[in-house]
Amino acid sequence: MLPPRNNAVSFKEEQLLGKKLISVQALRGIAVLLVLFFHLSEVRRHYFGMLFSSNFSSFGNAGVDLFFVISGFVVVGVARRVERTGARGALDFIYDRAARIYPIYWIYSLVLIIPFLLNPALVNSLSRMHGAGDYLRSFLLLPNATSPVLLVGWTLVFEVYFYAILAAMLLTRVPIAAALVGWAAALIICNLSWIGTTDAPTNPVLALVSSPLSLEFVMGAAVSYALLRPVRKRGASLLVVLAVIIVAVLCFTLDLPREDINPWFRTLVYGPIGVILLIGTVSLEELFHFRYFAWLIAIGDASYSIYLSHTLILSAAGRLLGASPLRVWGTASSIALAAACLILGLWSYKYLETPLLRRSRGFKRKLFQTAHGGGGNTG
């Protein structure tokens, strides 16, 4: 740890809107490890009836909510760099977001086609689809009555929806902060109006736009504005300690749900925990020059590839080991599988995700140069 800075520091605009924060990458690493641990526990439970500590493994669900909060923080920061630039800023924003999320997702979705062609029962998500429309909605991450080809893609449907909302704000030049407050208010009012009525909507589009999980993106966005104010070192440290205490209470005292978690529970419990962690970790980096573990940062950098690929390994391992007469599954095999998921994700990040992003940036430069008569770029 390097010597601390002054007792109170105001975050500069360019730091939050243009700089890659190491603390955010470390937090992404924590989020993907939580998700990996949860899915590993689910495979153990499903195929072998074996559990880790129930509450501790259930808390792995919060990794998704932490991702949503981080996404709100990062993506709104990106959008604010081109705020009120109109159509060109909106196009620039949506291209970058699409290039970031789709290509590597398509690769892992297509990987599932091979075992499906050999034996449809091996890929449940594909066997439940009923036509070209289902496949198209899955590959475009649009709301659908069936799960995406890659099951973790349900969270990416929320991401794409969030990107579309921000792109609309940029296109119409509406102030982002005001629009986000209005969006959050509309979500809350909409859900309050359903209290005491029928169940939540079953139409996929209506279920998406009315889901309180979208509030987690707004929470992260609020952090990007809040951190422009001075944050004291003692306050940053207390936030991290508070988050650890809350997590400990949830893990060891409450009976956390494993499946079908109420979205309001996730939003009101896991969302604020993510906000506290985000503010605390980013503040510690800025105020203390706190150095996070290099291995955690590396996992954070590769978190998207790990997130997309880990279920392929876990599902295949569960089926193979579950069908084995020995039914061998213990701590050693769990550690080995977790390590395999991380190794594949790190490899995917270096040799698939990063080259794809590099190519997309090159294509973007050519595309915008052509669109603007060979001159200029979008930055």
Side-chain angles (χ1 to χ4, degrees):
M1 185 184 299
L2 298 178
R5 299 183 180 184
N6 295 330
N7 199 46
V9 176
S10 178
F11 287 86
K12 295 179 181 179
E13 189 83 10
E14 62 269 19
Q15 286 178 306
L16 287 181
L17 304 189
K19 170 185 169 185
K20 182 177 179 180
L21 295 167
I22 298 301
S23 51
V24 171
Q25 296 307 100
L27 207 54
R28 279 188 171 126
I30 292 172
V32 81
L33 288 174
L34 284 171
V35 173
L36 172 58
F37 183 71
F38 174 74
H39 286 150
L40 180 61
S41 179
E42 287 299 286
V43 168
R44 283 170 57 106
R45 181 177 68 89
H46 181 74
Y47 290 103
F48 305 97
M50 301 168 63
L51 286 173
F52 295 112
S53 170
S54 180
N55 272 6
F56 188 64
S57 59
S58 296
F59 189 72
N61 271 307
V64 167
D65 304 87
L66 182 54
F67 271 129
F68 284 173
V69 172
I70 293 171
S71 181
F73 173 76
V74 172
V75 177
V76 166
V78 171
R80 287 168 61 193
R81 296 172 66 184
V82 292
E83 190 172 7
R84 303 199 182 191
T85 57
R88 186 171 179 181
L91 182 61
D92 182 84
F93 172 81
I94 206 66
Y95 178 93
D96 286 343
R97 293 299 96 200
R100 179 72 183 88
I101 204 170
Y102 279 119
I104 189 69
Y105 167 75
W106 286 335
I107 287 176
Y108 281 109
S109 294
L110 290 171
V111 165
L112 289 174
I113 299 294
I114 299 173
F116 177 75
L117 293 175
L118 297 175
N119 183 357
L122 292 176
V123 186
N124 295 331
S125 58
L126 282 169
S127 62
R128 287 195 292 265
M129 293 185 174
H130 305 294
D134 283 343
Y135 294 106
L136 181 62
R137 282 186 285 270
S138 173
F139 276 81
L140 293 179
L141 293 169
L142 300 177
N144 194 19
T146 62
S147 301
V149 171
L150 197 61
L151 288 176
V152 295
W154 75 267
T155 64
L156 303 180
V157 174
F158 278 89
E159 290 278 351
V160 170
Y161 172 53
F162 181 52
Y163 299 162
I165 292 290
L166 281 174
M169 294 176 190
L170 294 173
L171 185 63
T172 56
R173 300 175 187 259
V174 175
I176 292 175
L180 287 173
V181 170
W183 183 31
L187 271 173
I188 294 170
I189 293 171
C190 176
N191 278 270
L192 287 175
S193 67
W194 288 336
I195 293 178
T197 61
T198 57
D199 293 334
T202 55
N203 177 278
V205 175
L206 189 56
L208 174 67
V209 300
S210 62
S211 174
L213 289 178
S214 293
L215 292 174
E216 294 180 341
F217 292 101
V218 179
M219 291 177 189
V223 175
S224 74
Y225 288 95
L227 285 185
L228 293 177
R229 299 176 176 271
V231 181
R232 294 190 177 277
K233 290 183 288 188
R234 182 178 300 175
S237 302
L238 287 175
L239 283 172
V240 176
V241 172
L242 178 60
V244 171
I245 292 173
I246 294 173
V247 169
V249 169
L250 288 174
C251 288
F252 299 110
T253 64
L254 297 181
D255 185 17
L256 295 178
R258 296 190 62 81
E259 299 173 336
D260 300 323
I261 300 177
N262 183 290
W264 273 110
F265 176 91
R266 301 186 75 142
T267 302
L268 298 179
V269 177
Y270 294 159
I273 292 174
V275 168
I276 294 170
L277 278 173
L278 180 60
I279 295 175
T281 52
V282 172
S283 300
L284 286 175
E285 177 186 358
E286 176 64 15
L287 301 176
F288 290 99
H289 276 189
F290 188 85
R291 291 184 176 180
Y292 294 91
F293 294 114
W295 59 266
L296 186 59
I297 296 168
I299 291 173
D301 288 340
S303 58
Y304 187 45
S305 279
I306 296 170
Y307 185 72
L308 293 178
S309 63
H310 78 281
T311 55
L312 304 183
I313 289 182
L314 294 182
S315 179
R319 290 178 182 276
L320 290 173
L321 296 178
S324 168
L326 298 177
R327 293 179 63 81
V328 177
W329 191 293
T331 301
S333 55
S334 297
I335 294 173
L337 273 178
C341 291
L342 294 177
I343 291 170
L344 173 61
L346 290 165
W347 178 89
S348 171
Y349 172 70
K350 182 175 182 179
Y351 295 105
L352 293 178
E353 185 180 344
T354 299
L356 284 170
L357 284 172
R358 192 179 300 117
R359 286 180 178 274
S360 73
R361 293 188 188 107
F363 180 74
K364 177 185 174 183
R365 284 193 293 270
K366 294 179 181 179
L367 179 66
F368 279 90
Q369 284 173 356
T370 301
H372 294 284
N377 59 65
T378 59

